[in-house]
């Protein structure tokens, strides 16, 4: 049993164990106004055991056990460690009941209801954690590519894909479970079935802003302190949000942050060479496809099924599609890179016409990408199931087969990446929006 008595007293352990301690996560959540409503039978914590417990989790989810429907239906009591009555008279006026916004992507678990005593921090850290989710990347990379700097965006995609591959693969090799609940309140459960060391949200939340800073400083005119402050604030917000959400220990977040700095140090001197190779070498398409598919096969062989493997294939597929589109654009003379003679770039004065054209490009482009993704998803999984003789009535079950999930992720997101980098800019030229 995890005992968090003496809420504000740090246990006398080694520093490594201390920063991995779920009680430290629970303390931080308590400080930020998050209270659990665990049933009586949850007094004994059930630590998240990762993908190796998939069958037990699926059975529990179907039966409504644990943090699912039955847990919510049971008469809730606030975790004894926290000592607050959820309906106590005189409670703060901004207190609200809440549940995780999205169910677990693998088990279907909807999560345990909790109390929010500080709505500002709840919305702030919800925003912070969204900066590491799929929908943010679908919006952010295209916006930068179409409206700000195509070179910066496609190089960001390269770093993002490789960074996520390294992080997710490390998770499946280290195999640490998520912080135990209770005492930790699971404000988010979407990734609850994955392993947790290191935090890949912390990795992407560090890689994107610092790589953006690395690529734009000197290329664009802005103060060094401003760019560094924005990058650091972005990274800290994402990292802290993962502890707030109850998804990671402090040690896992710190490791993810430092791990990414090492990866960026490796990519900084070679990123320009990688980009030039993708554009100019005649064998680049073959190398791109073989390398990205091979890395996906490596990731899928590390452990039993988990959502992290699909996320890895998704990132590699997006990176492959964007790289192939870069090669095609260069070969067809459609590359939109700013000439070196124009550097450093300055932000043009904002006017109504420029803003409207940027918004129009963004909404048309994102609409094309979302429609592409929807159509590809709707057709690829049934096709693969028929191809390999698997039932397609349960999509979640079908996607637990490597023969379905790996090609599905690659096909869908390589097409999405290609459409973003090559087809949509061509469409803008046709519509006179380039």
């Amino acid at each position: 049993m995890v005992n968090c008595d003496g809420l504000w007293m740090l246990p006398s352990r080694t520093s490594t164990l201390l920063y991995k301690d779920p009680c430290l996560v629970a303390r931080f959540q308590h400080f930020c106004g998050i209270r659990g409503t665990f049933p009586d039978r949850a007094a004994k914590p059930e630590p998240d055991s990762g993908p190796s417990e998939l069958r037990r989790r699926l059975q529990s989810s179907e039966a409504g056990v644990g943090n699912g429907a039955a847990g919510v239906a049971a008469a809730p009591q606030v975790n004894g460690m926290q000592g607050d009555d959820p309906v106590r008279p005189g409670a703060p006026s901004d207190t609200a009941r809440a549940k995780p916004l999205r169910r677990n992507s693998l088990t279907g678990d909807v999560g345990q209801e909790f109390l929010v005593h500080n709505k500002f921090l709840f919305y702030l850290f919800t925003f912070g954690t969204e900066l590491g989710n799929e929908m943010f990347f679908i919006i952010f990379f295209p916006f930068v590519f179409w409206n700000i700097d195509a070179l910066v965006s496609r190089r960001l995609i390269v770093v993002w894909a490789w960074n996520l591959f390294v992080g997710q693969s490390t998770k499946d090799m280290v195999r640490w479970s998520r912080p135990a609940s209770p005492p930790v309140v699971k404000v988010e459960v979407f990734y609850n079935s994955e392993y947790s060391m290191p935090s890949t949200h912390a990795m992407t939340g560090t890689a994107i802003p610092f790589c953006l800073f690395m690529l734009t400083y000197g290329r664009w005119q802005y103060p060094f302190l401003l760019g560094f402050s924005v990058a650091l604030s972005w990274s800290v917000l994402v990292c802290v949000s993962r502890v707030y959400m109850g998804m990671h220990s402090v040690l896992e977040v710190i490791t993810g942050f430092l791990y990414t700095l090492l990866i960026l140090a490796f990519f900084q001197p070679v990123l320009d060479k990688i980009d030039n190779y993708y554009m100019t070498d005649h064998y680049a398409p073959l190398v791109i496809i073989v390398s990205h598919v091979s890395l996906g096969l490596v990731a899928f062989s590390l452990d039993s099924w988990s959502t992290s493997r699909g996320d890895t294939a998704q990132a590699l597929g997006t990176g492959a599609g964007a790289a192939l589109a870069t090669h095609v654009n260069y070969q067809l003379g459609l590359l939109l890179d700013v000439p070196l003679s124009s550097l450093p770039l300055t932000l043009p004065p904002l006017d109504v016409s420029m803003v409207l054209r940027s918004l129009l490009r963004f909404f048309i482009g994102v609409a094309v990408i979302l429609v592409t993704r929807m159509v590809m998803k709707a057709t690829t999984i049934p096709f693969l199931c028929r191809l390999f003789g698997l039932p397609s009535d349960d999509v979640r079950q079908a996607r637990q087969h490597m023969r379905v999930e790996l090609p599905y992720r690659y096909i869908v997101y390589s097409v999405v990446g290609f459409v973003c980098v090559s087809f949509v800019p061509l469409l803008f030229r046709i519509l006179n929006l380039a």
Side-chain angles (χ1 to χ4, degrees), residues 162-178:
W162 283 84
N163 182 76
L164 194 58
F165 164 75
V166 172
Q168 297 284 29
S169 299
T170 303
K171 274 186 179 181
D172 285 341
M173 288 188 289
V174 177
R175 302 182 185 182
W176 281 13
S177 62
R178 298 280 180 177

Side-chain angles (χ1 to χ4, degrees), residues 350-367:
L350 296 178
D351 56 47
V352 175
S353 175
M354 188 184 75
V355 172
L356 289 178
R357 287 175 68 85
S358 296
L359 291 176
L360 193 57
R361 281 196 297 266
F362 175 72
F363 286 115
I364 291 176
V366 168

